[in-house]
Amino acid sequence: MNQPRSGHGGKQMQWMSPPEQRPLGCPPGLEYLTQIDQILIYGEVEPFQDLTGLPIVKDRLTNQYQIKNSLGQQVYFAYEESEVYQRNCCGRTRAFSMHITDNLSQEVIRITRPFKCCAGYCWCADPESSCSMELHVESPPGQVVGYVKQTKSIWSPLFAVQDGNQQTVLKISGPCNVCQSTCCTGDIDFRILDQDGSQKIGRIAKQWGGMEREWAQHATTFRIEFPVDLDVKLKALLIGATFLIDYMYFERSKRKTSVRVM
């Protein structure tokens, strides 16, 4: 049964129930993903400890996230681990580890991005060189399930989603103009494509959260849509891809608050 949980301050949270059995070959903690075809990711604007009741995050200037299903039920929490000097000096290009935990505070996914000084420009992005932004995803932590790598394109963002053997299984294509403001409040869609890029199977959408949330609170909102029967490891990789997109295109200076993905 779903049991509402109270964090500090009496906040109620409704957790998603896991399936009765974990499917064969499914990494522990990813069984939640077998039941859903979309994920909502919200950048956190309230103290992480107040929402979870868990003293996990000591540095409130790192990004923190709630990850929910379409019914608003909590699936995971996520929080960034990074070096203070990189956050201050390297901004959106900094190295980080993203720890994703379940309702028992067990880490089920770990996302790691290395620091790359001159990477991120689409026209010179080469996954085999230091000019491409990338990250890898582990589930459980210590076991790599795949990679997300920026690939070369003339103008628009393009990413390869690769399995543990670094074979491309999905592609992600973004718009030429990654811009969102009070004058342009529509979703920014990054299309999820099949292996050869010929068919759209889903999307990663950066949603406009309103002036206060976007600019005053520096909190982002994403929606990920995919086939319900997509391999859970690929769903975990798409969560990783969302974080990479957030850091590359939507990361802003955070003085008092953190970012949440749902």
Side-chain angles (χ1 to χ4, degrees), residues 98-118:
M98 190 70 66
H99 304 278
I100 299 179
T101 63
D102 63 11
N103 60 350
L104 298 176
S105 194
Q106 298 297 313
E107 186 177 11
V108 297
I109 303 172
R110 182 177 299 165
I111 300 166
T112 304
R113 185 181 76 165
F115 168 70
K116 290 190 176 182
C117 180
C118 300

Side-chain angles (χ1 to χ4, degrees), residues 157-229:
L158 188 63
F159 300 88
V161 179
Q162 301 181 340
D163 61 19
N165 297 317
Q166 302 194 52
Q167 299 299 308
T168 298
V169 289
L170 295 174
K171 294 181 179 179
I172 299 172
S173 176
C176 292
N177 183 20
V178 183
C179 176
Q180 201 172 49
S181 68
T182 53
C183 299
C184 184
T185 60
D187 289 358
I188 299 178
D189 280 356
F190 290 76
R191 296 179 301 147
I192 303 171
L193 308 172
D194 61 8
Q195 187 175 28
D196 61 10
S198 62
Q199 183 177 353
K200 178 182 175 181
I201 66 166
R203 68 171 184 151
I204 297 171
K206 165 64 175 66
Q207 299 182 316
W208 175 250
M211 189 68 173
E212 179 181 0
R213 183 175 175 82
E214 295 284 340
W215 293 98
Q217 299 176 336
H218 301 286
T220 53
T221 302
F222 285 88
R223 179 185 296 271
I224 314 173
E225 299 173 357
F226 40 62
V228 68
D229 59 350

